[in-house]
Amino acid sequence: MKEKRGEFSSRLGFIIAATGSAVGLGNVWGFPTNTASNGGAAFVVTYFFLAFLLAYPALMAELVIGRCTRANIYSALENISATPLSRWSGRCIGAYAIAVATAILSFYSLVAGWMLAHLLASASELAGNTAVQNWLERASLARNLLCAGVFSILTVTVVSHGVQRGIERWSERLMPALLLLLIVLIIYVLQQPGAMTGLSLYLLPDFSEVFHPSLLLSALGQAFFSLSLGVGTMLIYGSYVRREDNLPALGAWVTLVDTSVAFLAGLLIIPALFVAQELGITIYRDGSLIAGPDLIFQVLPTLFDSMGANGTVVALAFFLLMTIAALTSSISMLEVPVALIAEKTPLSRVTASWLAGSLVFGASAGIAANFDTLFSLVVTLTTEYSQPLLGIALCMFAGWVLHRDRLLAEIRAGFDGVEQSLFWKIWPFYVRVICPLLIGAAFLQSIIQ
Ligand code: TRP
């Protein structure tokens, strides 16, 4: 017999799991990096505006479709469609979204594997095993495959235990640890010489930069990636929310926590860069702050090394933070194909999880073996092209395809008096017209550039 469909046990359970999905390498790495390469505080301000103005409404579109259909994205888009044409396009868009989620996970696990490698390297250093430490610190295909493999096994194991005993339980264990590590690291870094220079760059905006088109675009892309939008992760998490819970409030919490953690991560990384500079490490290249992999795997490790004995512990804490952030996100991505397989075939969740996990690992191995040609291609195709287009499609499905009565009934189930709320006055029009137009405009501009 098929298992019963999963459900989050409480509002808090959902908020922690969904923020676990949202808070990931995108926050701890992507956000500070983007801030560093887009003029500091001006980017931070733009990002917060866009997160609430564009990403939150799109997040609500996914949560509402998910809860009202209680299904994976493929069946969900089909289910809300009334005509054969929209049913057919729903199935195509759903299938495409699942493919994109799987592709994102395949490069994400590789990057998470690097974090795990550095975490284990710091642990080996503490244990005095220099040979293992050196092997783990040096990039090689064998190391990358091994670490991505271990990370994938962790992801599959959590997902195979289901919604409450896997996703919810592990998010509840890992997210407080993440927050604690982040705060301890911030306090430590802010006390080091040089940190204040970084802090002022991070917090004092140069408003002339705010309307720079490339800044707007990076901020939009960052917001979509960070809130895990477009590929059905939030849709499937929404499908596990109890009917009596207030969806607009839950979505607002997730957006708020996600942006706050991104902000905190910036308080760590940007000042850390300037602490490194104080120690003589180069942090500028061609006139702008070093971003990308070199920031995480060269500048910061050099900084940790020059901190003496404390440095190893700080490095351990930092890479543990990164690994945890990646894990609670990767489980939400794996849930997308797993929900499809478990709901559409007779296979159990456990089999579905191992099957999808193996598929993703195969793709990760393919990318790792052809890194120079494939890695940035997959990143660009999925995050820069597919995610915004799918975001538009999901907003249009929530706004035009999902019947208004059904939409209202769904939100009303956990939100008495929704008809009189500001949310209901603004959001339906917003998600129908404004979101697709704005996301579309930003997208067009990015490909014309
Ligand atoms: N939001 C996560 C991060 O910031 C990554 C993530 C999880 C994601 N699920 C996603 C990104 C779905 C895009 C699509 O790291």
Side-chain angles (χ1 to χ4, degrees), residues 20-28 100-101 104 108 222 224-234 258 325-326 328-330 332-333 383 387:
S21 165
V23 171
L25 299 177
N27 299 59
V28 197
V100 174
I104 294 182
Y108 202 84
Q222 175 63 33
F224 262 68
F225 188 82
S226 188
L227 276 169
S228 313
L229 294 179
V231 302
T233 43
M234 286 302 179
D258 182 57
T328 52
S329 297
S330 66
S332 73
M333 289 184 237
T383 61
Q387 255 190 300

Side-chain angles (χ1 to χ4, degrees), residues 167-187:
I167 298 174
E168 184 175 332
R169 178 188 290 174
W170 279 97
S171 305
E172 277 172 353
R173 287 178 182 165
L174 294 173
M175 289 305 284
L178 177 141
L179 216 57
L180 189 73
L181 279 171
L182 187 58
I183 291 171
V184 170
L185 282 168
I186 292 172
I187 294 174

